[in-house]
Amino acid sequence: MTEDDVLALVQRQASDVLGIPVEELAPDTDLLLEHSVDSLELMEIGTRLETRLGVRIDPVRLKDARTIGEVAAYLNQARP
Amino acid sequence: MRVAVTGLGAKTPAGADAGSAYATTLAGRCLARRLDGYSASGETVLACLVPDDATEGYFNRRELNGMDRTAVLGVSAALDAFADSGLEPDGRLDRWAIAVGVGGTGEAATAENITRSFLADGTGVTVFTAGLLMPNATAARIALRLGVTGPALTYATACTSGATAIGEGLRAIRGGYADVVIAGGVDAGLAPLVVEGFLRVGAVSRRIDDPAASSRPFDADRDGFVMGEGGAFLVLERWDHATDRGARIYAELAGYGSNSDAFHIVAPRPDGSVAAACMSAALADAGIGPADIGHVNAHGTSTVRNDDAETEAILRCFGADAPPVTATKGVTGHMIGGAGAFEAVVTVLSVAGGLVPPVANHVRQSGDAKLDIVAGEPRPLSPAAALSTSFAFGGHNAALVFRPV
């Protein structure tokens, strides 16, 4: 899976959980500021990514990742 | 202290708002249909379902992530009742309360659905699961949506739950704990395990070959209830709170009785004595006597045992001159936690409009029972108070008195 694939996966899962079209979730989209993501929704996105990528996500690190691109970058660095 | 009913909402098999649902009950036709895949044994079952479009537009996809069918039906019915009241969600929202009755079949169905996908492939258990499975989810979500910061409580008395919530709402206002209570009940328990459980108790109708004739309260040929689903809510308001703002008042919620059979976990006390005491307590609470009641909106499940015991209870409470009796489960099936609340809505509209719906499929009573069952056509009645009764698995009894304005 390429880094772009990971980015696309993050966009798709965030879109699914937040009910927002994928096109509106650019790499620099701030999930908290622009879409008021709450802690449960962020955990749901994280859980889905964990399952699909086979990585264990640190919830604190995930919360620090504010944008779609930062989430993808964290996952690229965390996966084996 | 008097309590006014100023708003009504309903998401039921009979209609997606209180007025149209009441109109459907006036037609007196049973809405049951056949369903496959809802019993563990593979047996075809009967059910009355809320149409899919009944809750369109109330919640966005994001909100729906964390809501099950029970919460969707309950919150949308409560929002309808709230809108109907003309209240605005401002001012002393700490003086508003939420009272929700749930029978538990909704949470059981949701747990069953999640468990099935979990066991199949490990999916289904989202982070929203804990919030989905809690029985107080509907009450919490109504409070969240409207910003109500007074008590948001959930009552579980099985098939009586909706009536219990309304009665306890009355007490909250009388006790000075709230000015406004959004009170009602809901359940959406159509899932194989839940349905199978009722099948095994022998409580549901097996009239598969003729669904339209299946739910027939107080009729000699009845063979059980038909599973339903739905929610209904009333806005209860301190009388002067309602009149000060010029609210339309449908009726007065004048009395409430609540007690327990202490007899059997699922069977009613056959002589109806405790249920009759519950009805008498509601009349006394309203400060009226049996002769003041114009009609009874009975629990009338269409099970052999309930309707026999309830007949005894009505005759004990009212004597041989018992008022006309109706029962809306002939039309809607049994909405479990939503039943008592929807029947309260129908009673309110019957009292307000002077027209009582007929019992679907009622032809003749069993044995020598001598109740005056409203059958065939709606019956016009002169203005009078009415009694709505609810009796549940567990022996929970409740009775509500509504009085015309």
Side-chain angles (χ1 to χ4, degrees):
Chain A
M1 188 177 267
T2 66
E3 293 191 359
D4 282 350
D5 290 338
V6 172
L7 177 66
L9 184 65
V10 173
Q11 286 170 314
R12 211 160 46 241
Q13 298 311 319
S15 159
D16 217 34
V17 172
L18 302 177
I20 296 161
V22 173
E23 310 82 69
E24 292 178 27
L25 294 168
D28 63 349
T29 299
D30 188 314
L31 292 174
L32 183 65
L33 271 185
E34 294 175 52
H35 297 293
S36 308
V37 68
D38 78 13
S39 56
L40 267 187
E41 290 170 330
L42 196 61
M43 285 172 68
E44 176 67 11
I45 295 168
T47 305
R48 290 173 177 220
L49 293 169
E50 272 188 340
T51 309
R52 285 159 180 81
L53 290 170
V55 298
R56 181 55 72 183
I57 292 174
D58 175 357
V60 178
R61 292 282 307 277
L62 187 68
K63 275 180 89 170
D64 288 343
R66 298 282 298 262
T67 67
I68 292 279
E70 284 168 11
V71 174
Y74 164 63
L75 291 171
N76 276 318
Q77 171 258 312
R79 71 195 172 113
Chain B
M1 184 186 295
R2 297 176 74 194
V3 171
V5 178
T6 58
L8 301 173
K11 295 296 180 198
T12 75
D17 64 84
S20 62
Y22 172 62
T24 304
T25 66
L26 289 175
R29 280 191 293 276
C30 175
L31 299 168
R33 61 186 181 88
R34 274 187 287 266
L35 278 184
D36 288 315
Y38 277 85
S39 81
S41 59
E43 189 176 336
T44 298
V45 299
L46 297 172
C48 296
L49 299 176
V50 181
D52 286 339
D53 60 3
T55 56
E56 272 174 17
Y58 287 80
F59 313 102
N60 62 36
R61 195 174 120 196
R62 200 166 163 183
E63 291 171 298
L64 290 171
N65 277 333
M67 298 176 75
D68 65 0
R69 188 166 174 81
T70 301
V72 167
L73 292 173
V75 177
S76 56
L79 292 175
D80 280 1
F82 174 74
D84 187 46
S85 74
L87 282 161
E88 293 293 333
D90 53 23
R92 292 291 306 275
L93 291 176
D94 60 325
R95 296 280 307 159
W96 292 25
I98 313 294
V100 181
V102 295
T105 64
E107 296 76 50
T110 299
E112 189 183 334
N113 292 333
I114 293 173
T115 303
R116 194 180 304 116
S117 59
F118 178 59
L119 293 179
D121 59 8
T123 64
V125 186
T126 71
V127 299
F128 304 111
T129 302
L132 277 168
L133 294 182
M134 53 192 206
N136 52 309
T138 299
R141 287 194 175 276
I142 297 168
L144 270 168
R145 183 78 174 234
L146 296 175
V148 169
T149 56
L153 304 179
T154 302
Y155 300 90
T157 51
C159 311
T160 296
S161 302
T164 300
I166 293 165
E168 296 300 324
L170 170 71
R171 288 181 175 174
I173 294 174
R174 281 184 182 164
Y177 301 108
D179 300 327
V180 173
V181 182
I182 300 170
V186 64
D187 250 300
L190 262 296
L193 178 62
V194 176
V195 172
E196 189 71 24
F198 286 125
L199 276 169
R200 303 239 175 150
V201 181
V204 295
S205 172
R206 286 186 151 95
R207 206 179 288 260
I208 306 299
D209 54 342
D210 192 4
S214 58
S215 187
R216 41 196 316 120
F218 297 104
D219 185 78
D221 292 331
R222 69 190 183 274
D223 75 326
F225 76 82
V226 171
M227 189 74 174
E229 60 173 3
F233 278 81
L234 282 64
V235 174
L236 309 177
E237 206 169 335
R238 212 184 62 220
W239 196 270
D240 59 317
H241 191 278
T243 53
D244 285 352
R245 69 181 182 91
R248 170 204 45 207
I249 297 175
Y250 285 102
E252 177 186 0
L253 173 54
Y256 170 49
S258 167
N259 68 8
S260 311
D261 266 4
F263 173 75
H264 189 275
I265 194 64
V266 295
R269 190 181 280 272
D271 69 5
S273 57
V274 179
C278 181
M279 297 181 197
S280 298
L283 299 181
D285 189 45
I288 60 176
D292 298 313
I293 292 292
H295 81 279
V296 176
N297 188 309
H299 187 58
T301 56
S302 184
T303 64
V304 173
R305 289 191 187 205
N306 174 82
D307 295 3
D308 278 350
E310 190 167 9
T311 299
E312 292 297 321
I314 292 169
L315 292 173
R316 272 177 187 268
C317 177
F318 290 96
D321 294 330
V325 174
T326 189
T328 55
K329 290 186 185 74
V331 173
T332 62
H334 196 338
M335 292 186 263
I336 314 290
F342 179 61
E343 285 146 26
V345 167
V346 171
T347 308
V348 165
L349 291 173
S350 300
V351 163
L355 196 59
V356 178
V359 179
N361 294 313
H362 185 83
V363 179
R364 63 184 173 90
Q365 289 169 77
S366 40
D368 54 0
K370 294 278 191 297
L371 290 179
D372 174 10
I373 304 287
V374 180
E377 298 288 325
R379 190 181 302 181
L381 289 175
S382 45
L387 184 71
S388 178
T389 59
S390 295
F391 308 113
F393 275 20
H396 312 286
N397 306 315
L400 301 167
V401 175
F402 293 98
R403 192 155 42 200
V405 180

